Amino acid sequence: MTSQKRILELREQLHEHNRKYYVLNSPDISDMEFDMLMRELQDLEALHPEMYDANSPTQRVGSDITKGFVQVAHKYPMLSLGNTYSKTEVAEFYERVRRALNEDFEVCCELKFDGTSISLTYVDGKFVQAVTRGDGEKGDDVTANVKTIRSVPLVLSGSGYPQEFEIRGEVLMPWQVFDMLNKEREAAEEPLFANPRNAASGTLKLQDSSVVAKRKLDAFLYYMLGDELPCDGHYENLKMAEQWGFKISDVTKKCKSLDEIFEYIDKLDVERKNLPFATDGIVIKVNSIRQQKNLGYTAKSPRWAIAYKFQTERAVTRLNEVTYQVGRTGVVTPVANLDPVQLSGTIVKRASLHNADIIEKLDLHIGDMVYVEKGGEIIPKITGVDLDSRILIGDKVRFITKCPECGTPLVRYNGEAAHYCTNDTGCSPQIKARIEHFVTREAMNIDSLGPETIELLYNLGLVKNIADLYSLQPEELMFLPRMGTKSAENIVAGIAASKNVPFERVLFALGIRFVGATVAKRLARAFHNIDSLMSATLPELMAVDEIGERIAMSVQQFFAKNDNIALIEQLRFAGVQFELAPEVLSEHTEILKGKSIVISGVFVKHSRDEYKAMIEKNGGKNVASVSKATSFILAGENMGPSKLEKAQKLGIELVGEDDFLSMLEAENSSEFNPEN
Ligand code: IVH
């Protein structure tokens, strides 16, 4: 078989396996077999760039090309739905429809998915575009990002689909993915997403679709539009769409009476709690499209549909005490200790009170009956006080002024809501949390050391800071409770192995405030070693891509402390890496220094990822969209027409891949300057 034929065969097979896995939930090959087919296709496509297909299954991995989103006008406006919160209002809607139609009608009841809406366009059975709701008239073209969602078919299966149509639905982040993402963000000290809806819409708007691909979004489709839809029934159209490969909820149901609708609402209000994704209500739609057209629209929403919103689950319980937790960076978080209460399937005993302002706003008193809600957040929160049940007033809750662990007066920085304990070298929970952070997989990867052992070692005075880890001996560990010779040796070996962890991860492991893994990488690449970083001035730090004043000041404050300098010396003495490896350094040049480069099109010699890495290694910056500030465009085949037009208008040079590669081979940047 020719490679070309094999490419086509593999594409077809992988589209089908994707559908079985992500839409039907019934894969018939193993993940490994799937990966092997995918790899084979990737290799063949790399050898045959002339076979490029924007809808190939390989395109789902996302490209790291960053681009501003292009705004696209919706062919049909994306309206919202009227909301109701009671069955009476649902009955009123039903009655309005009945009177307006004056004939029999059915409704389709569906889940109201709590994500972000999307409109997908298909032409000749192929996915061509995904646009967000935007302002309803026009939205952002997020095609590249949506391609990474495995349950969105790139090529339709079966037959009977209209030559061109739109299908709308909701992009979701499943609970499991949401929880994991927030855990990672917490570890990297990045702000948490409040709920899966924000996480889904935030992810869909990311510039880097390879990051989107990692976030594992999902999509349910619930509404089809076009001039030649197969059926008059909305429900029937969705069933057809399911055949073509779209993910349609299997709890969607046609109802013929108000009682059936109420039954559906009651059933789903219970069942939804076990679903792997968030929902916030039920949508009720008149099923016949002819009847939908008859009913028409108000300015904002269709007259043929309505949303019934579920009550947010809320419990009332007694506030017994407010305690305070000190985190790794010294942030003090107030925690409400409550009488245990059942909420959304779990028993809640503690809830976050976030910060002093929130306590003040709630006017909390010990003994108050408080409302607790989960509302998407991982940790339940207190949303109010039941003032009617306040008979005896307890002590007013006042935010503490001293650290509950070490007694240091707390400080509140300008513009921040949090209070901090600044005793970072003497406050035990901060030290223990820093050691825990130091050993994590993303940092020094000493996975033989768990939090309990760290607690024990700290309490026994064997490890008082991260550097002490490197002088631990197996004999000291062996006699600890629940520790054998083997585990002790494993721990010491794990610590020794961490001396090979590259500088950028060591920098992250130090736990400098606001220096997450990505920032650490940027700093390491810019300053090459710890000594240059320690002596960097504020402007020098801020000259690094994406490092602003907040991060730069935090880095300076960290190195201004003698205790931290001593710690670094101790780590250096132990053999921890404090400079970039020579291989990394030698590849780094300044040939593209000061250049902002846009990558566009399809390449033959290297992938976009590789070109991006080359730009960065040579001191350049890969930027999102074409602007006046763009130095040149690294242009492959089939460059996007809008980019091309903009480049021509602004007179920005296009550099082909061969020229780009020889530019990097040139000994110094003056030999080739595309701006001349
Ligand atoms: S139908 C013209 N069906 O709710 C009506 N919307 O306020 C088009 N949503 O923006 C929408 N689940 O993001 C429809 N089963 C469902 C839905 C649903 C969630 C969202 C959608 C829309 C909002 C309406």
Side-chain angles (χ1 to χ4, degrees):
M1 188 190 302
T2 63
S3 302
Q4 280 86 347
K5 260 197 161 159
R6 180 68 184 150
I7 288 178
L8 295 177
E9 186 184 80
L10 282 166
R11 283 178 184 165
E12 207 179 304
Q13 284 176 9
L14 284 163
H15 278 308
E16 188 51 24
H17 288 308
N18 246 318
R19 187 168 90 94
K20 285 188 180 139
Y21 188 91
Y22 291 101
V23 180
L24 307 177
N25 281 329
S26 62
D28 54 13
I29 58 168
S30 68
D31 287 3
M32 199 174 86
E33 285 168 304
F34 183 92
D35 289 345
M36 279 169 63
L37 291 175
M38 183 66 92
R39 191 128 350 121
E40 186 185 345
L41 179 58
Q42 274 167 340
D43 291 347
L44 282 172
E45 285 183 350
L47 288 172
H48 293 276
E50 77 284 359
M51 294 282 289
Y52 173 79
D53 176 358
N55 285 338
S56 165
T58 54
Q59 299 302 306
R60 291 204 192 260
V61 287
S63 123
D64 62 339
I65 186 167
T66 52
K67 55 174 185 239
F69 294 109
V70 174
Q71 292 238 311
V72 179
H74 291 296
K75 190 166 169 194
Y76 313 92
M78 277 182 93
L79 301 173
S80 59
L81 294 168
N83 283 333
T84 64
Y85 295 87
S86 70
K87 287 185 181 164
T88 319
E89 285 173 292
V90 173
E92 283 164 9
F93 161 78
Y94 197 78
E95 183 54 24
R96 266 198 314 275
V97 170
R98 200 185 58 73
R99 253 191 271 132
L101 287 175
N102 204 15
E103 60 178 344
D104 286 348
F105 67 98
E106 290 179 320
V107 294
C108 182
C109 293
E110 312 171 0
L111 282 171
K112 188 168 188 303
F113 303 99
D114 200 9
T116 182
S117 46
I118 193 80
S119 189
L120 312 177
T121 303
Y122 285 78
V123 178
D124 296 325
K126 297 211 171 83
F127 170 59
V128 291
Q129 195 174 48
V131 184
T132 61
R133 178 165 184 271
D135 61 5
E137 298 288 330
K138 55 185 176 340
D140 283 332
D141 182 334
V142 287
T143 310
N145 286 346
V146 169
K147 260 190 199 168
T148 69
I149 306 177
R150 308 288 167 144
S151 49
V152 170
L154 300 183
V155 175
L156 301 185
S157 330
S159 59
Y161 38 79
Q163 191 262 330
E164 178 168 351
F165 68 99
E166 268 184 55
I167 189 158
R168 291 181 179 171
E170 204 83 350
V171 171
L172 304 167
M173 180 174 285
W175 283 114
Q176 209 190 354
V177 180
F178 169 72
D179 290 344
M180 245 167 54
L181 175 65
N182 262 354
K183 267 195 202 131
E184 281 171 22
R185 291 176 76 85
E186 200 170 11
E189 294 210 359
E190 285 164 344
L192 302 188
F193 284 115
N195 51 48
R197 181 186 350 109
N198 291 1
S201 64
T203 302
L204 212 52
K205 293 289 185 65
L206 285 175
Q207 297 291 329
D208 185 341
S209 61
S210 62
V211 179
V212 181
K214 289 190 195 117
R215 297 245 181 119
K216 299 198 167 61
L217 295 172
D218 204 347
F220 276 100
L221 285 309
Y222 48 62
Y223 186 41
M224 208 191 302
L225 288 139
D227 299 332
E228 301 159 347
L229 299 186
C231 314
D232 175 58
H234 159 75
Y235 177 84
E236 289 72 18
N237 280 329
L238 289 186
K239 285 283 159 200
M240 295 290 279
E242 195 168 21
Q243 301 294 314
W244 306 332
F246 292 103
K247 190 158 183 168
I248 310 291
S249 163
D250 54 7
V251 300
T252 298
K253 183 176 183 276
K254 273 204 293 186
C255 293
K256 287 200 174 69
S257 69
L258 195 56
D259 283 343
E260 272 184 61
I261 300 176
F262 289 166
E263 225 174 85
Y264 184 87
I265 290 178
D266 293 338
K267 187 164 158 257
L268 266 298
D269 200 359
V270 178
E271 284 179 8
R272 73 177 180 116
K273 289 165 196 157
N274 298 320
L275 292 173
F277 46 81
T279 55
D280 62 343
I282 298 290
V283 181
I284 304 150
K285 299 174 182 165
V286 169
N287 194 50
S288 154
I289 293 170
R290 176 184 60 82
Q291 290 178 335
Q292 288 183 2
K293 283 192 181 137
N294 260 337
L295 291 161
Y297 296 83
T298 68
K300 281 201 312 237
S301 50
R303 288 202 185 86
W304 45 265
I306 200 156
Y308 167 86
K309 299 276 280 246
F310 295 129
Q311 293 281 333
T312 314
E313 275 198 277
R314 189 166 86 164
V316 182
T317 188
R318 184 177 305 278
L319 171 71
N320 293 321
E321 191 189 5
V322 174
T323 50
Y324 296 83
Q325 273 176 0
V326 185
R328 167 161 67 89
T329 52
V331 174
V332 177
T333 311
V335 179
N337 293 255
L338 309 162
D339 272 356
V341 65
Q342 180 88 21
L343 180 65
S344 314
T346 52
I347 292 175
V348 174
K349 291 186 217 142
R350 285 149 62 83
S352 171
L353 281 165
H354 300 284
N355 56 50
D357 293 347
I358 292 193
I359 294 183
E360 199 50 45
K361 210 165 118 210
L362 289 166
D363 186 28
L364 271 189
H365 290 72
I366 300 297
D368 276 350
M369 295 304 285
V370 292
Y371 297 115
V372 192
E373 283 181 19
K374 263 201 182 156
E377 285 79 0
I378 326 170
I379 313 151
K381 62 177 181 191
I382 293 186
T383 55
V385 176
D386 179 9
L387 291 174
D388 291 342
S389 61
R390 197 190 257 173
I391 303 163
L392 294 170
I393 298 195
D395 289 343
K396 185 171 164 66
V397 178
R398 286 180 209 284
F399 204 89
I400 48 171
T401 53
K402 287 187 179 148
C403 175
E405 303 282 342
C406 70
T408 305
L410 300 181
V411 295
R412 186 170 172 172
Y413 300 110
N414 249 349
E416 282 200 45
H419 280 78
Y420 287 87
C421 165
T422 52
N423 180 15
D424 50 358
T425 47
C427 178
S428 57
Q430 292 188 56
I431 302 169
K432 281 186 275 186
R434 271 206 306 276
I435 303 174
E436 279 173 29
H437 168 75
F438 187 77
V439 303
T440 50
R441 192 166 43 86
E442 300 76 15
M444 304 304 275
N445 194 21
I446 311 174
D447 61 0
S448 46
L449 255 185
E452 289 100 52
T453 317
I454 291 175
E455 170 96 31
L456 209 60
L457 292 171
Y458 180 81
N459 291 344
L460 290 170
L462 285 169
V463 174
K464 292 184 289 312
N465 62 38
I466 49 179
D468 288 344
L469 291 171
Y470 292 90
S471 40
L472 277 178
Q473 301 299 323
E475 306 80 66
E476 291 174 301
L477 294 164
M478 247 175 251
F479 302 104
L480 299 181
R482 290 188 301 277
M483 177 87 61
T485 319
K486 191 95 204 93
S487 329
E489 280 167 358
N490 272 348
I491 292 178
V492 175
I495 295 170
S498 76
K499 293 180 191 171
N500 295 324
V501 163
F503 173 46
E504 53 201 45
R505 273 172 48 201
V506 175
L507 200 51
F508 169 59
L510 290 178
I512 305 171
R513 219 168 126 215
F514 308 131
V515 178
T518 319
V519 170
K521 204 181 254 175
R522 291 220 159 90
L523 290 172
R525 293 274 148 97
F527 293 96
H528 303 175
N529 59 53
I530 195 90
D531 296 305
S532 318
L533 181 64
M534 284 200 284
S535 55
T537 62
L538 210 56
E540 279 166 354
L541 287 163
M542 285 168 66
V544 180
D545 196 16
E546 311 224 342
I547 309 287
E549 196 178 355
R550 190 182 67 134
I551 301 177
M553 296 230 321
S554 169
V555 171
Q556 282 219 317
Q557 279 160 9
F558 183 88
F559 292 120
K561 286 200 172 159
N562 287 337
D563 287 337
N564 289 333
I565 303 290
L567 198 67
I568 283 162
E569 290 317 319
Q570 225 183 316
L571 288 168
R572 197 200 300 259
F573 182 73
V576 168
Q577 301 296 318
F578 275 127
E579 57 184 39
L580 279 186
E583 315 86 82
V584 183
L585 261 182
S586 63
E587 283 174 28
H588 205 93
T589 80
E590 298 205 326
I591 295 177
L592 300 172
K593 191 170 178 189
K595 303 255 181 285
S596 297
I597 303 159
V598 171
I599 309 179
S600 184
V602 183
F603 299 92
V604 180
K605 297 202 165 153
H606 294 276
S607 70
R608 281 181 175 165
D609 278 6
E610 286 166 349
Y611 279 123
K612 184 180 177 199
M614 278 184 224
I615 291 174
E616 284 173 358
K617 256 186 203 153
N618 290 287
K621 196 167 153 190
N622 174 214
V623 290
S625 49
V626 183
S627 73
K628 274 205 311 257
T630 307
S631 312
F632 64 90
I633 297 177
L634 169 53
E637 292 291 308
N638 290 332
M639 191 179 145
S642 59
K643 269 205 182 120
L644 194 59
E645 196 183 314
K646 201 156 175 200
Q648 280 163 351
K649 216 161 92 195
L650 295 171
I652 290 165
E653 184 152 2
L654 306 185
V655 176
E657 57 184 322
D658 285 332
D659 285 342
F660 178 75
L661 291 171
S662 46
M663 184 192 311
L664 296 187
E665 277 160 26
E667 266 167 43
N668 68 58
S669 54
S670 61
E671 280 188 57
F672 188 108
N673 186 350
E675 278 170 337
N676 287 336

